[in-house]
Amino acid sequence: MNLQRVNKYMERIAQSETTTFEPTGEKLKVGVDLGTAYIVMVVLDEQDNPIACEKQAANVLKDGVVVDYLGALQIVKDLKGKLEKRLGGRELLNCAIAMPAGTESSVNTHTYVAEGAGFEVTNVLDEPSAANAVYQIENGAVVDIGGGTTGIAILHNGKVIRMEDEATGGTHISLVLAGNFHIDLAQAEEIKQDYSKHKEILPVVKAVVEKMAAIVKRYVHPEEIDTIYLCGGTCCLTGIEKIFEKETGIITIKPDNPFLVTPAGIAMNCIAG
Ligand code: ATP
């Protein structure tokens, strides 16, 4: 993976949360990521340049499956509306969506949420393949640690050959922080997402991260895989890659901003419209 290229691209994606960039070409691509902790919508131009991005914290999916259809629909409609407003009233037509491993049977629900918000779904892919549209890894493991789930994908010659999904993620870290500091979950989330607090909270959450790495180790073997590539919001945690490296014995790398890798990769796989 060309870390410099990925860092530059992800920085531009992050900037597109607050700045709307001018697209090159007529058509646009949209990625809709329905997550356990966040629903994210990324808009790219035909050349995959970041144009705009919106996200909203949400509690409408569990283990990658939509449990509150109307809630999910409303959020996707709201995000689409916000982006269209930012684009001067231009309608977003097409989108791509992605599914975590093991939730393929829920593809219809995901599709109905996007269609209900007025999109035509032009592609449905698996989440690790979406992440790899950004990373462009030939061989290795992509580990996507989100809010409620951790996706583990083994790539060979640029293709996903094995995928697993485990019910562990950032919510577990927040629960530990809440218990330790005697605060509610919302306050714990706030502390966790504050980079200036990471040094202080790392010793408290280290055991949970080690447990996550131990789960990943069950599927990723050093004789097969020489590098783990991290993505997902939870990997924003400063120093997480070092804990993974120690626990798995495998070189572990992440970009400066691993949060929006999967949603950006989903958008790259949309047919522009
Ligand atoms: P899932 O993949 O489980 O469906 P998701 O797609 O909603 O969930 P992401 O959007 O990749 O997951 O990540 C959300 C998680 O990332 C949340 O638990 C959030 O608290 C955590 N997170 C976001 N920013 C940071 C940060 N700066 N430091 C630590 N954790 C963070």
Side-chain angles (χ1 to χ4, degrees):
M1 174 167 100
N2 180 338
L3 199 55
Q4 210 181 352
R5 173 189 59 79
V6 172
N7 280 337
K8 210 168 148 206
Y9 190 74
M10 292 316 300
E11 195 189 336
R12 190 79 167 170
I13 290 281
Q15 286 168 351
S16 77
E17 287 192 67
T18 47
T19 306
T20 309
F21 296 105
E22 196 56 44
T24 308
E26 287 292 302
K27 297 177 179 176
L28 294 174
K29 298 161 110 178
V30 181
V32 177
D33 187 10
L34 300 176
T36 308
Y38 281 91
I39 296 194
V40 186
M41 209 175 279
V42 169
V43 182
L44 307 176
D45 69 13
E46 288 175 76
Q47 272 95 54
D48 290 338
N49 296 307
I51 303 302
C53 169
E54 290 283 342
K55 68 174 188 291
Q56 189 178 318
N59 200 9
V60 293
L61 276 92
K62 192 147 181 15
D63 298 339
V65 176
V66 177
V67 289
D68 176 0
Y69 174 80
L70 289 177
L73 181 60
Q74 193 54 53
I75 294 169
V76 173
K77 275 185 181 170
D78 289 348
L79 295 180
K80 185 172 185 276
K82 277 186 193 171
L83 287 165
E84 288 173 342
K85 198 166 164 211
R86 283 177 57 184
L87 291 160
R90 176 173 177 174
E91 193 188 356
L92 295 170
L93 302 170
N94 293 354
C95 80
I97 57 172
M99 312 296 298
T103 63
E104 293 78 6
S105 59
S106 308
V107 64
N108 286 348
T109 324
H110 273 61
T111 306
Y112 298 151
V113 170
E115 287 178 350
F119 280 115
E120 183 178 338
V121 177
T122 62
N123 200 358
V124 181
L125 63 156
D126 63 80
E127 288 190 344
S129 296
N132 203 38
V134 177
Y135 283 178
Q136 297 171 16
I137 296 155
E138 282 296 312
N139 299 296
V142 172
V143 174
D144 182 348
I145 313 178
T149 59
T150 292
I152 304 139
I154 308 299
L155 286 116
H156 187 64
N157 293 334
K159 294 266 172 277
V160 175
I161 56 163
R162 260 189 353 262
M163 265 195 315
E164 302 292 340
D165 213 58
E166 286 280 349
T168 181
T171 309
H172 300 84
I173 294 178
S174 302
L175 284 169
V176 169
L177 284 175
N180 193 78
F181 295 123
H182 306 290
I183 52 177
D184 65 31
L185 207 54
Q187 288 171 299
E189 274 292 328
E190 212 171 295
I191 291 175
K192 191 182 69 173
Q193 296 199 24
D194 180 349
Y195 282 96
S196 72
K197 300 261 174 24
H198 281 182
K199 209 170 165 195
E200 185 189 334
I201 66 171
L202 199 65
V204 178
V205 303
K206 196 169 174 218
V208 195
V209 178
E210 282 170 350
K211 181 79 201 289
M212 287 172 175
I215 290 170
V216 169
K217 197 179 170 184
R218 284 190 218 141
Y219 304 103
V220 182
H221 310 294
E223 58 280 7
E224 182 192 20
I225 296 298
D226 62 9
T227 313
I228 292 173
Y229 301 88
L230 296 178
C231 64
T234 296
C235 296
C236 294
L237 210 60
T238 311
I240 190 172
E241 68 278 20
K242 294 283 164 242
I243 300 175
F244 262 72
E245 213 161 76
K246 194 154 178 238
E247 189 67 32
T248 60
I250 300 172
I251 294 165
T252 305
I253 59 175
K254 68 166 190 183
D256 294 339
N257 186 354
F259 198 170
L260 301 174
V261 172
T262 300
I266 297 173
M268 285 177 171
N269 283 279
C270 173
I271 297 171

